[in-house]
Amino acid sequence: EDQVTQSPEALRLQEGESSSLNCSYTVSGLRGLFWYRQDPGKGPEFLFTLYSAGEEKEKERLKATLTKKESFLHITAPKPEDSATYLCAVQARYSSASKIIFGSGTRLSIRP
Amino acid sequence: GAVVSQHPSWVICKSGTSVKIECRSLDFQATTMFWYRQFPKQSLMLMATSNEGSKATYEQGVEKDKFLINHASLTLSTLTVTSAHPEDSSFYICSARIGGIGTNEKLFFGSGTQLSVL
């Protein structure tokens, strides 16, 4: 069964304190792994798509990496405005977007 | 990036009434839209896939007669929660797909609707 597990469930950091969020997945052939940011009471905002092991993508203070079993979202020198829930999702090969499976998210809180 | 507009942002209704939520793709045409439900501190759970001009496909356990979906145009899908009850209170989110299967497929999400049934 396809599954996505994110850890930790919640993470509190001091401003400027770098860290990583983990997304472990099992899927019958990975077609794509997605990272989204979700603010309270809002819909998810697209961040990255990764397609193959070894791939990396960066956007401002965020960098996403992918292996055959997990993905990491590295946050470098975070600021309070980076506080949000970060969602990971996977899509199996030969499936449509209707079969994207979401993890339960990591709630990130950055203290000034 | 693509914009998906969802209205209303929040709604409070009495038990037994029906509530309609709209999801619009503002700058692109979306033949397929998706409706999700999210409980506090939990992930998104797919409810149904909405296809323009045809019947929606519902996930197992989702009552099609309770959650009516209409996708009458390439830019608009609606979700109607019929005879709402307190247990229907939740955060409902729509999304629209860009790119077909086999291409760089992406999902863009609406801002969500918080439904509270009294």
Side-chain angles (χ1 to χ4, degrees):
Chain A
E1 183 181 342
D2 299 339
Q3 198 168 12
V4 178
T5 303
Q6 290 188 247
S7 62
E9 186 176 310
L11 181 62
R12 298 184 69 182
L13 300 173
Q14 197 69 34
E15 183 173 2
E17 180 184 0
S18 302
S19 188
S20 296
L21 313 182
N22 178 264
C23 171
S24 298
Y25 65 91
T26 54
V27 65
S28 52
L30 180 70
R31 181 173 174 199
L33 184 143
F34 310 89
W35 282 99
Y36 289 87
R37 168 189 170 132
Q38 185 176 25
D39 293 298
K42 301 290 185 181
E45 175 190 343
F46 173 79
L47 293 174
F48 304 108
T49 306
L50 300 168
Y51 294 100
S52 57
E55 189 175 0
E56 297 184 355
K57 288 193 176 175
E58 288 189 64
K59 179 181 179 181
E60 296 180 354
R61 295 177 292 281
L62 299 175
K63 183 170 80 172
T65 61
L66 180 66
T67 72
K68 289 185 178 180
K69 294 183 178 181
E70 57 192 353
S71 176
F72 291 94
L73 184 65
H74 307 277
I75 182 162
T76 303
K79 297 181 179 181
E81 54 262 39
D82 295 321
S83 298
T85 294
Y86 290 84
L87 298 171
C88 171
V90 297
Q91 183 178 7
R93 195 168 296 164
Y94 310 123
S95 72
S96 72
S98 64
K99 296 304 179 186
I100 288 180
I101 301 168
F102 284 85
S104 55
T106 293
R107 295 189 307 280
L108 179 65
S109 175
I110 309 298
R111 300 189 300 271
Chain B
V3 178
V4 176
S5 175
Q6 186 174 341
H7 292 282
S9 298
W10 57 271
V11 58
I12 301 173
C13 68
K14 292 183 179 180
S15 186
T17 61
S18 294
V19 174
K20 180 185 283 188
I21 303 170
E22 292 189 348
C23 180
R24 295 180 184 272
S25 56
L26 296 186
D27 50 1
F28 64 100
Q29 293 182 331
T31 55
T32 304
M33 291 185 178
F34 305 93
W35 288 96
Y36 295 84
R37 186 172 181 176
Q38 187 178 33
F39 291 104
K41 298 184 180 180
Q42 294 188 25
S43 190
L44 283 72
M45 297 300 295
L46 180 67
M47 297 175 65
T49 301
S50 170
N51 300 295
E52 188 268 335
S54 64
K55 292 183 179 180
T57 303
Y58 290 83
E59 295 299 301
Q60 191 172 10
V62 178
E63 298 177 59
K64 61 178 68 177
D65 293 331
K66 180 161 191 65
F67 298 100
L68 300 179
I69 291 172
N70 184 279
H71 194 156
S73 78
L74 289 172
T75 59
L76 174 64
S77 175
T78 61
L79 169 67
T80 301
V81 183
T82 62
S83 187
H85 291 284
E87 58 265 29
D88 298 323
S89 299
S90 186
F91 192 57
Y92 293 87
I93 308 174
C94 72
S95 71
R97 182 179 73 190
I98 288 183
I101 297 176
T103 64
N104 290 328
E105 189 176 6
K106 292 181 181 178
L107 287 182
F108 290 93
F109 288 84
S111 54
T113 298
Q114 181 64 52
L115 171 63
S116 296
V117 185
L118 304 178

